[in-house]
Amino acid sequence: MQVVATAGHVDHGKSTLVRALTGTDPDRLAEEKRRGLTLDLGFAWTELPSGEQVAFVDVPGHERFVGTMLAGVGPVPAVLLAVAADEGWKPQTEEHLAAIDALGVRHGVLAITRSDLADPTHALRQARERPRRWSSSSTAAAAPPRTST
C-alpha cells in the first residue's frame, strides 16, 4: 500500500479532493463537520485499477494545527499539495511546502483545486516559481471541477 498525505492552505480543498478520489469523507469528527474545517488527521483509502491500494492522510491546513499537519506528513513518501485556483499560493501553502522539504518528502502531486472558480494558470505558475523541484519529482495538474460530493 502506498501512503500519500495532503498539504496546503486552509480551505483549499484538501478534504474535498480526498473525498473525490476515495469516496470517503476524511473529516470524521462532529466538530469538523459543524465547522467545515479539518481539525485532526483524517484517513481514507482506495484501490487503483492495478489493484494496488493507496491510503490518504488528510491534514489540517490552518496555522493553529501545524503540529497535527507535521504528524500526518512526517512518515509519508509523497504528498498531494492543494492550491486553490481562485486564491493561489497562500501562507500555509508556503509553510506546508517548507515542512515537506524539511521532512525529506521526495514525491508529490500539485493539485490546482477549485478550477471551476478561476483559471488555474496563475496558481500553476506560482507553484512552478517556487524553489521546490516540482518538475523532477512531482506532477502538476488542475483538478477538474466536481459538482457533487
Side-chain angles (χ1 to χ4, degrees):
M1 176 181 292
Q2 301 297 319
V3 180
V4 177
T6 62
H9 191 74
V10 64
D11 201 30
H12 274 203
K14 296 177 297 296
S15 299
T16 300
L17 192 53
V18 169
R19 189 177 315 111
L21 292 169
T22 67
T24 301
D25 186 356
D27 288 335
R28 65 200 189 308
L29 303 175
E31 183 72 5
E32 290 175 318
K33 293 183 185 305
R34 185 181 71 74
R35 293 174 63 183
L37 177 72
T38 300
L39 304 171
D40 199 2
L41 299 178
F43 306 93
W45 52 92
T46 192
E47 188 172 310
L48 300 175
S50 66
E52 186 171 12
Q53 291 194 340
V54 176
F56 291 91
V57 179
D58 187 39
V59 306
H62 195 281
E63 64 185 339
R64 284 185 273 162
F65 303 111
V66 171
T68 304
M69 178 272 184
L70 292 171
V73 172
V76 301
V79 295
L80 176 60
L81 179 66
V83 177
D86 60 325
E87 292 189 4
W89 208 265
K90 300 295 269 185
Q92 269 61 61
T93 311
E94 194 68 40
E95 189 172 75
H96 282 204
L97 187 61
I100 290 163
D101 283 340
L103 291 168
V105 177
R106 301 261 185 248
H107 305 285
V109 174
L110 172 66
I112 306 298
T113 58
R114 301 191 334 209
S115 60
D116 55 330
L117 301 177
D119 182 344
T121 305
H122 179 67
L124 186 57
R125 186 177 320 113
Q126 286 180 311
R128 288 187 173 148
E129 291 170 356
R130 293 306 184 266
R132 178 150 167 87
R133 299 166 310 279
W134 286 108
S135 61
S136 63
S137 64
S138 303
T139 302
R146 283 185 57 95
T147 56
S148 62
T149 57

